[in-house]
Amino acid sequence: MSVVSFKQPLYVDGIMPERALLRLRRAGIAVYGVKKISPKRIRLSVEKKDIEKVFAIYPNVCYNSNVYTPYTVEKAPTKGLARAWERIRTRIGLCLGCLLFFAVTLFADGFVFGVDFVGTDVYARETYAALEEAGIRLFAPYRAGKEDLVCAKLLALDGVEFCSVQKKGMRLQVEIRVAPFFAGDVKKGSMRAEHTGEILSITALRGTALKKKGEFVNAGELLVGDWFTAEDGEQVRVQAIARVRMSCVWEEKIEATTEEEAFAKAYLSLCGANGEKAPTLRGREIALQADGTFLVNVRYEIVQSMNF
């Protein structure tokens, strides 16, 4: 049984080129597959480790024009397995990169990186709560087989006629269809800030706006009152309909092993823990503290609405 060895094929040119083999033999260079192609050219192969010796004995005149030698040597193209190996060797970096890309993609495909609502998101808060109860969390491996459990909880909500939960790529698609005349839960009372931050815009279709654009408010402060003032000064109670957009900053120490894990936990605290819709991120800063924790600072925008 022969062992395949990859060698470098060469062309030797000159008058009676077979005589060049004698000098190679004296130098202890083994030659293989000698074949005379023409009266002045032969083809042979040598071990890769002997290439420099061969060119030292018979330098290529193209690069050594001042050196006389009766024979010239040049590399010949490889064939068969050797040629295939050369092609693979020169492209091994590209091949490994492709394999790594597909491996990462297949690994990430098993996670959930976001939730998309189809139909209506009136029950977004309840959906996040149902997903959490079923063990389906953002930035965590997807637990298949829990879709019917989530749909059962959502179908029990008032007005829901159809529900579907499907994983598409790296995101979860939740489709909710409600009855044609379903108006959703009507909230009563005044609208209070759920976050601390600066008001970017405030719209009150019904009720009295108590804050203005550019004002800084703390969580719990009144934003829109459930009344309007008549011409005679009397306050008339109404059902508030309002929408507020705010710029906020969230900062907290997080126990984690990496910055990515610290940010993931911070993001879950913002949008997953209490069932709120995901905020719009505007920036983040993560710093390692002396006690081994990470100080995470996240700047985000949130939209808060009431009966809007």
Side-chain angles (χ1 to χ4, degrees):
M1 179 178 180
S2 61
V3 179
V4 178
S5 176
F6 296 110
K7 302 176 179 63
Q8 175 61 53
L10 301 172
Y11 287 129
V12 178
D13 296 301
I15 299 175
M16 299 182 70
E18 59 273 8
R19 291 185 177 181
L21 303 179
L22 296 175
R23 191 171 179 184
L24 296 179
R25 181 179 179 182
R26 293 193 194 102
I29 300 174
V31 297
Y32 306 89
V34 179
K35 182 179 181 180
K36 193 168 185 178
I37 299 176
S38 67
K40 294 185 178 182
R41 167 170 282 202
I42 61 174
R43 179 188 171 97
L44 56 90
S45 298
V46 299
E47 298 286 351
K48 290 291 183 71
K49 62 182 179 65
D50 293 328
I51 291 295
E52 293 184 2
K53 293 181 182 179
V54 174
F55 281 102
I57 297 172
Y58 297 117
N60 193 322
V61 295
C62 295
Y63 302 100
N64 301 274
S65 57
N66 295 325
V67 178
Y68 171 76
T69 175
Y71 302 104
T72 59
V73 179
E74 62 178 303
K75 291 183 178 181
T78 55
K79 296 181 179 179
L81 291 176
R83 184 176 184 180
W85 166 246
E86 286 295 327
R87 289 185 175 182
I88 294 174
R89 186 176 63 83
T90 56
R91 295 168 174 80
I92 192 167
L94 177 62
C95 294
L96 289 176
C98 293
L99 290 175
L100 180 61
F101 170 77
F102 287 115
V104 172
T105 302
L106 289 174
F107 175 76
D109 191 57
F111 283 67
V112 177
F113 290 97
V115 178
D116 298 323
F117 289 93
V118 178
T120 180
D121 60 354
V122 67
Y123 283 128
R125 184 185 300 271
E126 290 78 2
T127 299
Y128 282 110
L131 292 173
E132 179 76 17
E133 188 175 343
I136 301 175
R137 302 178 179 86
L138 295 178
F139 307 104
Y142 180 67
R143 296 185 61 183
K146 301 292 184 178
E147 298 84 358
D148 291 341
L149 177 62
V150 176
C151 287
K153 291 184 177 296
L154 296 179
L155 287 170
L157 298 174
D158 187 24
V160 178
E161 292 187 337
F162 174 80
C163 176
S164 172
V165 177
Q166 299 180 23
K167 187 174 184 296
K168 294 192 174 182
M170 301 179 190
R171 302 182 67 84
L172 193 67
Q173 179 177 293
V174 179
E175 183 177 359
I176 300 177
R177 302 291 178 181
V178 298
F181 301 103
F182 177 70
D185 293 334
V186 176
K187 299 179 182 178
K188 297 181 180 180
S190 299
M191 181 179 184
R192 294 182 179 273
E194 297 178 355
H195 297 259
T196 297
E198 179 186 351
I199 296 178
L200 300 178
S201 65
I202 181 168
T203 304
L205 299 182
R206 183 178 297 176
T208 301
L210 304 176
K211 301 293 182 180
K212 297 180 181 179
K213 178 182 177 181
E215 287 192 55
F216 187 88
V217 297
N218 294 312
E221 286 190 45
L222 283 175
L223 297 176
V224 179
D226 60 340
W227 69 81
F228 75 90
T229 304
E231 294 182 359
D232 58 2
E234 181 183 359
Q235 287 188 347
V236 180
R237 293 290 174 180
V238 295
Q239 177 183 303
I241 302 177
R243 182 177 184 271
V244 178
R245 186 166 62 94
M246 297 176 59
S247 175
C248 309
V249 176
W250 185 94
E251 186 175 83
E252 188 174 321
K253 283 188 176 182
I254 299 292
E255 293 185 0
T257 56
T258 63
E259 290 188 5
E260 290 76 11
E261 182 183 352
F263 175 70
K265 288 184 177 181
Y267 189 83
L268 286 175
S269 297
L270 285 175
C271 65
N274 55 6
E276 290 185 3
K277 293 176 64 177
T280 302
L281 301 183
R282 295 303 184 193
R284 63 177 178 178
E285 294 178 2
I286 304 176
L288 180 63
Q289 303 299 294
D291 58 359
T293 61
F294 289 89
L295 180 63
V296 182
N297 181 290
V298 180
R299 298 180 297 279
Y300 65 95
E301 289 182 11
I302 193 71
V303 176
Q304 180 182 338
S305 61
M306 183 174 183
N307 302 322
F308 196 90

